[in-house]
Amino acid sequence: MSRREKLLHELPFGVDYAKSARARCKYCEMNIPKGELRLSVRYPSHKFMKMQDNWLHERCFWKSVRKDELSEATIYGFEALEWEDQEMLREKIILNEKEIKKDEELNDADVKDIPLVSSGKVKEALKVQSEMLSEIKKELIEFKFKLKDFDEIFKANEYHIREDEGISECIEQLSDFIVFGVPSKCPKCKEGTLYYDYTGHAYKCDGTGEKSCVFSDPNPERKSLNVGEDWAENGFLEGRKLPMLKERSYPPGAHVKMDTVTDYPRDRIRRPTRFGKHLEDES
Ligand SMILES: [Zn+2]
Ligand SMILES: [Zn+2]
């Protein structure tokens, strides 16, 4: 599979808490404040051969974006949100679906059968893991780890900090280790390291070395995190039984591959006109 083909299986939407106040909303063109929940329409940037986010205020997203294919499993980063925010979005996803159904009959028969949001036992499991991850992330923030501290802990577990990764990515990674355990080396190529991938909803081999490796597994074999003597003496994770959970849970449709990304997803975003009406984006 070429890198370009791979991009076509990427998720069409994204969500996070704004990392800076620099991004401008693609609908109203106002800046999105730092820390605010924001949603994006993602499209492949051919220049960089990776996905690019077109960020929108949460309120503007619902107003302006064509949202077919929107579900809990098609929003990149959904599982990293606070549970209350996940719940708020689930409600809106269901409302959105009702509106689409009113407008037109859905034509994608195979995708239609997958529930858009989780419910029942799966949802309960997602809630438990989401609240555990949030709690651990808060603890890690209070510990005020520096990059070199993460580096030390990761190395003790045969991991490393990847290029472009900062404190927030390290917190994300370490919480995953604490809650679910540390994935063993890739069973396929024997040397790659497995990292959680929001798009595939699975742990993927980073394929180090000359050959790239396509191994991925939603719940690979894991061992408990080795905290290191120094940190253990400082009381880090004291009294916690690791790993906290046996498995990571996933929403419905998380492992269905869809060609949801087109070359021009920008046509998903409608722009306001001067008269407050929508025009289809002609760009
Ligand atoms: Zn906006
Ligand atoms: Zn591998």
Side-chain angles (χ1 to χ4, degrees):
M1 195 176 4
S2 71
R3 286 187 77 184
R4 190 172 181 284
E5 278 171 67
K6 229 153 83 188
L7 288 181
L8 296 179
H9 295 295
E10 280 280 347
L11 301 180
F13 305 104
V15 70
D16 75 358
Y17 301 105
K19 293 194 178 75
S20 73
R22 285 193 302 268
R24 271 184 182 219
C25 172
K26 284 285 183 294
Y27 178 71
C28 71
E29 299 188 345
M30 304 284 281
N31 283 65
I32 304 171
K34 186 179 175 184
E36 191 172 293
L37 182 80
R38 58 182 183 177
L39 284 148
S40 79
V41 171
R42 306 173 79 224
Y43 69 94
S45 149
H46 294 299
K47 198 165 146 202
F48 303 110
M49 291 311 279
K50 63 175 192 181
M51 296 300 282
Q52 201 161 308
D53 286 291
N54 291 279
W55 291 110
L56 296 118
H57 291 107
E58 189 262 337
R59 59 178 186 275
C60 294
F61 177 87
W62 300 102
K63 253 190 270 179
S64 66
V65 175
R66 189 160 55 77
K67 295 173 284 291
D68 40 337
E69 290 153 348
L70 181 73
S71 77
E72 186 177 335
T74 57
I75 306 177
Y76 185 96
F78 187 96
E79 59 266 56
L81 298 178
E82 294 289 329
W83 183 255
E84 310 85 77
D85 290 325
Q86 292 188 21
E87 282 291 81
M88 180 269 291
L89 292 177
R90 280 189 192 98
E91 266 175 43
K92 291 191 179 175
I93 290 169
I94 294 168
L95 282 176
N96 166 65
E97 179 67 0
K98 283 186 185 145
E99 274 165 38
I100 291 184
K101 273 196 178 143
K102 249 193 322 196
D103 286 355
E104 54 186 302
E105 276 302 305
L106 283 183
N107 40 21
D108 227 341
D110 45 332
V111 176
K112 201 161 64 173
D113 297 334
I114 303 170
L116 295 176
V117 298
S118 50
S119 60
K121 285 222 167 84
V122 174
K123 189 171 168 180
E124 278 168 36
L126 286 170
K127 183 171 190 223
V128 169
Q129 83 179 21
S130 159
E131 288 178 344
M132 249 177 216
L133 283 165
S134 298
E135 186 190 319
I136 294 295
K137 276 188 232 170
K138 277 179 201 128
E139 252 176 62
L140 292 182
I141 291 167
E142 276 168 30
F143 251 86
K144 294 197 169 62
F145 284 112
K146 301 193 176 64
L147 274 180
K148 70 167 179 45
D149 303 324
F150 285 110
D151 190 50
E152 198 178 297
I153 297 179
F154 289 0
K155 279 191 179 136
N157 291 277
E158 292 190 274
Y159 266 75
H160 56 272
I161 299 175
R162 292 177 294 173
E163 225 178 289
D164 300 337
E165 279 188 339
I167 298 280
S168 63
E169 286 82 8
C170 289
I171 289 178
E172 203 77 41
Q173 178 71 68
L174 187 52
S175 348
D176 184 89
F177 289 160
I178 294 168
V179 174
F180 305 105
V182 181
S184 309
K185 284 280 171 198
C186 172
K188 194 167 177 225
C189 67
K190 314 284 183 210
E191 48 188 292
T193 309
L194 305 181
Y195 288 93
Y196 186 65
D197 167 62
Y198 286 111
T199 291
H201 297 280
Y203 293 79
K204 271 195 177 168
C205 178
D206 70 345
T208 47
E210 268 127 64
K211 32 192 180 180
S212 65
C213 173
V214 292
F215 179 83
S216 103
D217 188 338
N219 276 300
E221 202 190 297
R222 291 178 236 234
K223 38 192 188 286
S224 294
L225 176 74
N226 169 9
V227 181
E229 275 173 34
D230 288 355
W231 289 109
E233 274 168 24
N234 280 328
F236 178 54
L237 298 174
E238 200 173 8
R240 292 222 184 256
K241 201 177 167 296
L242 303 184
M244 297 167 76
L245 290 173
K246 278 204 193 88
E247 283 194 332
R248 196 186 250 274
S249 301
Y250 296 96
H255 300 114
V256 178
K257 260 199 181 149
M258 289 186 282
D259 290 343
T260 45
V261 173
T262 67
D263 273 357
Y264 303 103
R266 261 183 204 277
D267 68 9
R268 279 184 187 276
I269 307 174
R270 291 189 297 181
R271 303 288 166 79
T273 68
R274 263 194 295 168
F275 310 104
K277 283 184 184 161
H278 294 295
L279 272 188
E280 293 307 320
D281 184 11
E282 65 272 61
S283 65

